[in-house]
Amino acid sequence: TYGSATLNNLKDGVMSTEYFFEGLPNEIVFQVPEGAYILQKYSLTSTAKQADLDPQDWELSGSLDGAEWTLLQRSSQQTFGERNQERTFSLSAAVQKQPYRFFRLEVTKVKSGGKSCALSEMKLLGTKASLPEAPSDARLNPLAWNQVRLTWRDLADSEDCYEIQRTSDGTGYRTVATVPANTVSYTDDQVGPN
């Protein structure tokens, strides 16, 4: 129903329930229950009521950690010709190779040009992915005042690469390097004295 704050209305399979939100841009985030998911396509279903609340422009993004997002698809000038119409949107072949744990739909414009949006259903369609095993025995060895060597034991046999990330506050991580699969060390010479 309108005014509902529960995301369950988007995945309950009932066309008469709706998810309504105010203030654009606004986002809807889904977390995959276990593991990761390779998304091939997704569908959005318009509500049974007011066409002026239909989303028109949006971005779909994916993330492994819920913090760093990768744009999967940008859609604009989309229309729903009927009430309770389900529209399916396919992702590019390049996007379909990467697994994600989180998916975010950010609506930036609605049909009316207003600031409220409503959807009846949203479906994520794809396959469950198996993630490579995480490395173990990570060690950080100082080499100089501004240089450290990170080493680890590679337990995975299907990784594409390793991303080396750094944080100064324990929460805001940023990628400083990407190294090839089967790598077991990385030397960072951009480390500060702290």
Side-chain angles (χ1 to χ4, degrees), residues 140 143 146-150 164-166 176 186-191:
L140 196 60
L143 301 176
N146 68 335
Q147 189 177 55
V148 294
R149 177 180 281 289
L150 174 64
I164 312 299
Q165 297 184 337
R166 181 187 305 144
V176 295
Y186 172 74
T187 300
D188 188 348
D189 58 2
Q190 301 296 316
V191 179

Side-chain angles (χ1 to χ4, degrees), residues 142-158:
L143 301 176
W145 73 271
N146 68 335
Q147 189 177 55
V148 294
R149 177 180 281 289
L150 174 64
T151 60
W152 60 89
R153 191 166 152 228
D154 180 10
L155 300 177
D157 58 3
S158 63

Side-chain angles (χ1 to χ4, degrees), residues 43-47 51 54-56 58 78-89 111 118-119:
S43 71
L44 302 176
T45 303
S46 62
T47 65
D54 289 346
Q56 183 176 333
W58 63 80
Q78 299 297 322
T79 60
F80 293 82
E82 302 171 16
R83 299 297 79 222
N84 285 134
Q85 179 186 8
E86 180 179 15
R87 293 205 47 214
T88 301
F89 303 90
K111 183 177 178 180
L119 285 167

Side-chain angles (χ1 to χ4, degrees), residues 68-162:
E68 276 192 48
W69 294 91
T70 300
L71 179 65
L72 305 180
Q73 186 177 68
R74 180 177 287 123
S75 296
S76 62
Q77 302 299 314
Q78 299 297 322
T79 60
F80 293 82
E82 302 171 16
R83 299 297 79 222
N84 285 134
Q85 179 186 8
E86 180 179 15
R87 293 205 47 214
T88 301
F89 303 90
S90 296
L91 300 178
S92 70
V95 168
Q96 293 183 31
K97 295 179 180 177
Q98 178 67 40
Y100 296 101
R101 291 185 180 130
F102 300 86
F103 295 95
R104 177 179 70 191
L105 179 74
E106 183 176 9
V107 177
T108 55
K109 186 177 179 183
V110 294
K111 183 177 178 180
S112 68
K115 296 290 184 186
S116 299
C117 182
L119 285 167
S120 177
E121 294 290 316
M122 179 176 178
K123 295 178 186 171
L124 303 174
L125 309 164
T127 57
K128 188 172 180 178
S130 58
L131 293 176
E133 192 168 347
S136 68
D137 301 326
R139 298 171 195 257
L140 196 60
N141 301 308
L143 301 176
W145 73 271
N146 68 335
Q147 189 177 55
V148 294
R149 177 180 281 289
L150 174 64
T151 60
W152 60 89
R153 191 166 152 228
D154 180 10
L155 300 177
D157 58 3
S158 63
E159 78 273 25
D160 294 327
C161 62
Y162 285 107

